[in-house]
Amino acid sequence: MNSPDLPNSAESAVICSAKGCRAAAVWVLAWNNPKLHTPDRRKTWLACEEHREHLSQFLGMRGFLKDVVTLEEWEASAR
């Protein structure tokens, strides 16, 4: 898994990627567009509890979704 490009939570709030949402992110949705990215590349969207399913479905319908993990797990894997 690639290193996440997430802000340090001590320095800034980590918020949901859903349009207009300002809620704290709890989930990391790792994805890639196979037409643009190498298979090992992972882009990330962040999601609050309310938007996790919607964002997952959006990426999943396009075949982009690779993994969904908690923000805590994602940050721990980067260490």
Side-chain angles (χ1 to χ4, degrees), residues 32-75:
N32 82 3
N33 180 340
K35 291 182 180 178
L36 302 175
H37 307 122
T38 60
D40 61 329
R41 172 98 187 263
R42 292 294 179 266
K43 304 280 285 177
T44 56
W45 279 359
L46 303 173
C48 63
E49 286 292 344
E50 181 180 351
H51 292 112
R52 183 187 76 129
E53 188 62 32
H54 172 74
L55 294 173
S56 293
Q57 286 178 358
F58 181 89
L59 293 168
M61 285 177 39
R62 289 154 179 80
F64 295 173
L65 187 63
K66 302 301 179 194
D67 201 10
V68 178
V69 297
T70 65
L71 180 59
E72 191 174 281
E73 288 175 277
W74 186 266
E75 289 175 334

Side-chain angles (χ1 to χ4, degrees), residues 12 26-27 41 60 73:
S12 62
V26 180
W27 298 95
R41 172 98 187 263
E73 288 175 277

